[in-house]
Amino acid sequence: MTERPILIAGRNGQLARCLHDLAVLDSMPVVSLGRSEFNLEAHGELRRAIDPFAPSMIINAAAYTAVDLAESEVARAFSINRDAAAALADVAWQMNIPFIHISTDYVFDGTKLDAYDESDVPAPMNVYGASKLAGEAAVLAAHPLATVIRTSWLYSPHGNNFVRTMLRLCESQPIVKVVQDQCGNPTSALDLASAILQLSARLLIHDRRAMAGIFHLAGQGETTWHGFAQAIFDLLAHRGIRVPQLEAITSEQYQTAARRPRNSRLDSSKAERVLGIRLPLWLCSLETCLDQLVEGSIDAERNCAGRGQRNSTVSNHEGGQQAATAHL
């Protein structure tokens, strides 16, 4: 392994944090850059911010992920998800180093009956998905040997995600309503980070051409948002935490600015076949995540003491009841 660091863009995101922590544990040289080091919307200045680190490769885990807000901030979503991604890929290409870019299941419209594979034609149904799809094309145009990884329903002990939201709602709501007609593959950011670091090690010593292009990489198994919430509450109840009553609702009953795909399932068989990478079953990884949250995090302690706060970006309050939906 080279002593030159892997550079991670998007330091404060949940995947970037998992990547950094695991790299440190594995004694891999790594540096994470966030807003204080560079401005993703100042595309021409990115090379100047990156040069001093002389990275061995770049992993772009930075993105504009406010799905609903993107409907009214179209230019900013595309500036970050397309133009900044392309600029970072171009820097990596000019430096002759590997580039890994993270994308999303939201590039699809959810109308397919089966899980989506890499040969399916994307058709995003919201601005966020369109900006991420444009980012994929821009990255591959700027860096033909880049690896683009689409993932779905990402969660971890860090940041803003569905698991942490459900944990917070346990303290404040007697009833939680969650959509039941959207299905996908919950993906642990810790699992994904581990897989990306395995791939990174190979990219640094093997022919990149075999690992170039688009790959789906998501947790094994599928569920709905309602099923995901039920699993979370069952595991929390087993740990002695009070959980609210869970009710199923339809997408029509929980209106959001951006439409979500009904089917977000990703077929990850290509990654297993070509890269030899397969993520664990989502339910097993969920239990690991909850162990970390309940046993070690400040938020979990606040949950038990009843002092947390609600997440207004994914919830709607009415009559003491709570609705929640996808927000990746």
Side-chain angles (χ1 to χ4, degrees), residues 89-90 92-94 97 99 136-148 208-214:
D90 182 64
W93 182 255
Q94 296 302 321
I97 59 176
F99 186 77
E136 293 180 0
V139 161
L140 291 171
H143 195 307
L145 296 181
T147 302
V148 174
R208 300 178 209 164
R209 288 173 292 183
M211 295 172 272
I214 297 173

Side-chain angles (χ1 to χ4, degrees), residues 152 184-188 191 216-223 266-269 271-272 277-285:
S152 68
N185 311 102
T187 305
S188 162
D191 290 342
H216 292 175
L217 200 51
Q220 294 298 310
E222 62 189 58
T223 188
L266 297 179
D267 181 340
S268 300
S269 59
E272 184 174 9
I277 294 174
R278 176 186 175 95
L279 298 191
L281 290 168
W282 71 267
L283 193 55
C284 297
S285 298

Side-chain angles (χ1 to χ4, degrees), residues 46-226:
L46 296 179
R47 176 66 185 264
R48 186 162 54 240
I50 291 170
D51 269 343
F53 299 99
S56 60
M57 69 179 300
I58 297 174
I59 301 174
N60 182 28
Y64 180 106
T65 58
V67 177
D68 291 316
L69 192 58
E71 296 296 309
S72 58
E73 290 189 350
V74 179
R76 187 157 186 250
F78 274 84
S79 177
I80 295 173
N81 291 343
R82 179 192 61 195
D83 302 336
L88 288 169
D90 182 64
V91 170
W93 182 255
Q94 296 302 321
M95 299 178 78
N96 191 28
I97 59 176
F99 186 77
I100 296 177
H101 176 69
I102 310 303
S103 192
T104 175
D105 54 304
Y106 277 24
V107 300
F108 298 111
D109 63 9
T111 58
K112 185 180 179 180
L113 296 180
D114 298 321
Y116 284 94
D117 62 39
E118 293 83 353
S119 67
D120 288 315
V121 178
M125 62 193 309
N126 55 48
V127 170
Y128 168 70
S131 68
K132 292 296 288 182
L133 179 61
E136 293 180 0
V139 161
L140 291 171
H143 195 307
L145 296 181
T147 302
V148 174
I149 295 174
R150 291 176 182 152
T151 193
S152 68
W153 293 22
L154 206 62
Y155 69 89
S156 76
H158 312 296
N160 178 31
N161 59 69
F162 189 78
V163 173
R164 284 169 57 90
T165 296
M166 292 299 104
L167 183 58
R168 285 194 296 267
L169 294 184
C170 286
E171 75 196 31
S172 60
Q173 298 297 325
I175 299 174
V176 171
K177 297 183 178 181
V178 181
V179 293
Q180 68 170 348
D181 54 3
Q182 298 173 23
C183 61
N185 311 102
T187 305
S188 162
L190 288 167
D191 290 342
L192 182 60
S194 178
I196 291 172
L197 291 178
Q198 292 178 46
L199 177 60
S200 300
R202 296 177 200 168
L203 284 168
L204 291 171
I205 58 176
H206 295 300
D207 188 345
R208 300 178 209 164
R209 288 173 292 183
M211 295 172 272
I214 297 173
F215 294 88
H216 292 175
L217 200 51
Q220 294 298 310
E222 62 189 58
T223 188
T224 64
W225 286 111
H226 180 270

Side-chain angles (χ1 to χ4, degrees), residues 302-320:
R302 286 180 174 172
N303 174 75
C304 295
R307 296 194 302 271
Q309 59 182 1
R310 303 180 183 117
N311 187 332
S312 60
T313 62
V314 296
S315 28
N316 178 44
H317 303 276
E318 182 178 358

